[in-house]
Amino acid sequence: MARGAILGLMVCLMATAVMGEDPYVYYTWNVTYGTIAPLGTPQQGILINGQFPGPEINGTSNNNIVVNVFNNLDEPLLFTWSGIQQRKNSWQDGTLGTQCPIAPGSNYTYKFQVKDQIGSYFYYPTTGLQRAAGGIGGIRVYSRLLIPVPYADPADEYWVLIGDWFGKSHTTLKKFLDSGRSMGRPDGVHIMGKSNSVEPLYTMESGKTYKYRICNVGLKDTLNFRIQGHSMKLVEMEGSHTVQNMYDSLDVHVGQCYSVLVTADKEPKDYYLVASTRFTKNVLTTTAVIRYSNGVGPASPIIPPAPVGWAWSLNQLRSFRWNLTASAARPNPQGSYHYGQINITRTIKLVNTASRVNGKLRYAINGVSHVDSETPLKLAEYYGVADKVFKYDIISDDPPTVITDITLAPNVINATFRTFIEIILENPTKTIQSYNLDGYSFFAVAVEPGKWTPEKRKNYNLLDGVSRHTIQVFPKSWAAIMLTFDNAGMWNLRSENTENKYLGQQLYISVLSPEFSNRDEYNLPDTQLVCGIVKDLPRPAIKYT
């Protein structure tokens, strides 16, 4: 009898556990203009709760994140959460293809889950050129307590948000692009919103090890990051534990985040954090100071040099490897795919080009330069009026060898749910390209100079690196990513170069659940903003069941 009572109690507890939600973390953001000086000269920036960089989002795997954003700017506002997969929930992705912007003087509450994710990410505004004015901040996602992490807890953790910066306002830069000209070159580089600051950014105690979460939140340039006199042990990259190699410096491409361990085992004094541009004719460099708590003496004026040439950067990218013996956000090993046994159902080749349309600079993918519509693509699709807003698949999977004409239109391709796809990104230009795909991580990557051919598919086995959501395509080179479209929704594939993205180097991938099931994709949230041609239409009845 007692045993039966115990079993009954266990069943009740299990049912309660199943029905219970994961913990919630709440934030309230007041977004305003304010004076900032990333390069030492005061200019107008975008602040969150009076801060630049903005406040950190701090959660644990599977936490529900709720961010109530009050827009006190004089322009519409959206935030995207770079690297957060938004499982079943492209409604919260914060791009103009999925959401209506938050109008000035109003607010909107984002609600999303960091489902089965760990690592270092960041957020930024996506409307216009607002990223050039600030509104950026870090997203830290810890492993759950029962999930082992493949290194000892550090003494402390420090954010290092780095990026190139323009002295001109974001509205001026937007006018440049709208008029048909380029933004030009950045004016400097910042570390945590400051340049060449003499006050210590962080303090370390001798003998202790610290985690630095490094993200390139800039607009155009790859940055090389290094710590004077110290090596860095790479332990995590875009949500994956890595084989723990040591590096004297790291090329951090736009949109990328690394987590490294640094041990304070040098002479106690000050040292420089250094960030400098790569692949640019004129190298821009900035420094910040870290101080040993028992240190005496300033940092050496001799700044460690950055590497030269993009081949070095490509080889460093090839050195990144998944730690296949470590658990990820769940208690199972990472990287369980056997790449050679996967049946690839579709190969999509994407070629970026630049040209002028009616005398104005535009960037394109497969000859189409994306234009945002007044009605978000996802809303048009959900309301059943997609044919009035855009056309699917106006680009082909295999573009012509020579692309001459550029078409301006919303660029949306269809993908079949839960199929394995490879995407080939070709870069015929002389500049490095960095791409981000919302909603997914790539579980296999290959990168090479020259042109891609089907025979080079074997290089996945040679060059498969860590799972990631950004990928670099080096000059006159190609990159291949393999992924499964297992996340229903409308997802943005974009250039991380802000100028290229604004001028059309992006597209959307529509992945629909064939069963229209709420198990695969959430319904339109009751609080979702509506705009464009669907603004006055009755909301569809519950679509996914």
Side-chain angles (χ1 to χ4, degrees):
M1 188 71 179
R3 183 180 179 183
I6 292 173
L7 287 173
L9 178 60
M10 289 178 65
V11 169
C12 290
L13 290 173
M14 290 174 64
T16 302
V18 169
M19 295 180 66
E21 286 193 90
D22 289 296
Y24 278 74
V25 182
Y26 295 90
Y27 296 92
T28 299
W29 286 359
N30 182 28
V31 184
T32 62
Y33 296 118
T35 301
I36 59 176
L39 304 183
T41 301
Q43 63 184 104
Q44 186 187 72
I46 294 176
L47 309 180
I48 302 174
N49 295 349
Q51 302 175 45
F52 172 73
E56 173 192 74
I57 290 178
N58 190 332
T60 299
S61 177
N62 288 5
N63 279 178
N64 294 287
I65 309 297
V66 180
V67 187
N68 191 2
V69 177
F70 288 84
N71 179 11
N72 290 294
L73 308 179
D74 60 4
E75 54 187 328
L77 175 68
L78 275 178
F79 283 100
T80 196
W81 323 94
S82 185
I84 302 301
Q85 289 190 3
Q86 305 288 358
R87 303 301 299 178
K88 306 194 299 182
N89 196 19
S90 64
W91 302 112
Q92 305 294 294
D93 197 37
T95 63
L96 288 171
T98 59
Q99 287 192 274
C100 303
I102 309 167
S106 65
N107 73 299
Y108 175 77
T109 301
Y110 290 91
K111 179 183 178 296
F112 56 90
Q113 187 177 26
V114 286
K115 178 68 174 173
D116 292 333
Q117 286 190 265
I118 59 165
S120 305
Y121 310 95
F122 68 97
Y123 60 83
Y124 63 90
T126 57
T127 307
L129 268 290
Q130 291 174 349
R131 183 170 173 173
I136 55 176
I139 305 173
R140 182 189 326 220
V141 184
Y142 288 106
S143 292
R144 287 172 286 175
L145 291 177
L146 297 179
I147 309 300
V149 175
Y151 51 87
D153 289 342
D156 207 341
E157 298 191 6
Y158 298 136
W159 279 106
V160 184
L161 302 181
I162 58 179
D164 54 13
W165 193 266
F166 288 78
K168 298 179 180 65
S169 70
H170 71 290
T171 54
T172 298
L173 295 174
K174 183 175 181 296
K175 288 177 182 177
F176 284 173
L177 297 183
D178 290 341
S179 68
R181 58 177 289 191
S182 169
M183 290 165 53
R185 297 300 312 156
D187 297 300
V189 175
H190 74 90
I191 299 176
M192 294 300 290
K194 296 181 180 179
S195 179
N196 298 316
S197 175
V198 297
E199 295 298 321
L201 182 63
Y202 300 119
T203 300
M204 301 194 297
E205 292 185 33
S206 291
K208 293 187 176 182
T209 298
Y210 296 80
K211 180 190 278 189
Y212 286 77
R213 295 177 182 263
I214 309 158
C215 296
N216 185 339
V217 298
L219 303 175
K220 300 184 76 164
D221 290 323
T222 295
L223 299 178
N224 182 265
F225 178 79
R226 49 219 187 264
I227 303 178
Q228 190 179 47
H230 294 72
S231 295
M232 299 174 286
K233 180 185 289 186
L234 182 66
V235 295
E236 179 261 321
M237 178 181 175
E238 299 189 333
S240 297
H241 296 304
T242 64
V243 172
Q244 296 177 10
N245 295 326
M246 301 297 296
Y247 296 90
D248 291 327
S249 71
L250 286 167
D251 272 359
V252 191
H253 304 281
V254 179
Q256 273 193 325
C257 290
Y258 300 133
S259 294
V260 300
L261 297 180
V262 178
T263 300
D265 56 1
K266 306 302 179 186
E267 177 189 350
K269 62 172 190 172
D270 289 355
Y271 293 90
Y272 283 127
L273 307 179
V274 186
S276 57
T277 57
R278 292 274 275 128
F279 324 121
T280 58
K281 183 177 180 180
N282 297 315
V283 176
L284 303 173
T285 301
T286 193
T287 60
V289 174
I290 54 172
R291 174 168 294 171
Y292 278 55
S293 59
N294 60 336
V296 178
S300 167
I302 301 175
I303 302 297
V308 177
W310 61 263
W312 184 95
S313 187
L314 185 149
N315 287 330
Q316 183 178 81
L317 184 150
R318 287 172 166 171
S319 74
F320 300 144
R321 288 290 182 272
W322 244 340
N323 182 347
L324 298 181
T325 63
S327 298
R330 293 178 291 178
N332 57 283
Q334 301 188 120
S336 56
Y337 292 105
H338 299 283
Y339 310 129
Q341 300 175 18
I342 291 175
N343 180 26
I344 299 172
T345 58
R346 183 179 179 187
T347 296
I348 304 172
K349 186 177 177 183
L350 302 176
V351 179
N352 62 283
T353 54
S355 187
R356 291 195 171 269
V357 179
N358 298 324
K360 294 184 177 182
L361 177 64
R362 296 294 301 188
Y363 292 90
I365 297 177
N366 290 10
V368 174
S369 184
H370 176 79
V371 177
D372 288 313
S373 57
E374 183 182 359
T375 306
L377 309 171
K378 180 62 181 172
L379 274 179
E381 191 175 65
Y382 191 84
Y383 273 76
V385 294
D387 59 330
K388 297 180 180 179
V389 177
F390 65 92
K391 295 180 179 179
Y392 293 101
D393 299 319
I394 60 175
I395 63 172
S396 63
D397 288 359
D398 190 12
T401 303
V402 179
I403 299 173
T404 54
D405 297 327
I406 289 182
T407 301
L408 273 61
N411 196 355
V412 184
I413 62 177
N414 263 316
T416 304
F417 190 47
R418 289 180 178 159
T419 53
F420 288 98
I421 304 288
E422 65 178 355
I423 297 177
I424 313 301
L425 298 159
E426 280 204 357
N427 178 19
T429 73
K430 297 180 180 180
T431 60
I432 189 170
Q433 301 288 328
S434 187
Y435 285 91
N436 178 295
L437 176 58
D438 290 344
Y440 304 94
S441 287
F442 324 137
F443 59 79
V445 175
V447 180
E448 272 195 19
K451 287 186 174 293
W452 179 84
T453 63
E455 292 74 24
K456 293 183 178 180
R457 189 171 287 130
K458 66 180 183 298
N459 292 339
Y460 282 120
N461 295 322
L462 174 65
L463 301 178
D464 52 328
V466 296
S467 173
R468 63 190 70 173
H469 62 272
T470 61
I471 183 63
Q472 288 65 55
V473 196
F474 290 86
K476 304 291 183 178
S477 302
W478 60 269
I481 58 177
M482 192 186 299
L483 67 155
T484 176
F485 281 124
D486 61 351
N487 193 15
M490 180 75 72
W491 305 107
N492 188 218
L493 187 154
R494 60 182 174 271
S495 169
E496 281 292 334
N497 182 318
T498 303
E499 175 176 314
N500 292 31
K501 179 240 177 187
Y502 182 82
L503 293 180
Q505 194 174 327
Q506 59 173 314
L507 55 79
Y508 284 84
I509 302 174
S510 173
V511 184
L512 295 175
S513 162
E515 298 177 1
F516 293 96
S517 170
N518 197 47
R519 294 170 300 175
D520 299 330
E521 184 176 10
Y522 296 137
N523 278 296
L524 177 71
D526 291 338
T527 58
Q528 196 77 356
L529 302 173
V530 291
C531 55
I533 64 173
V534 304
K535 183 177 180 180
D536 298 320
L537 295 180
R539 292 207 172 201
I542 294 178
K543 192 168 184 177
Y544 304 140
T545 57

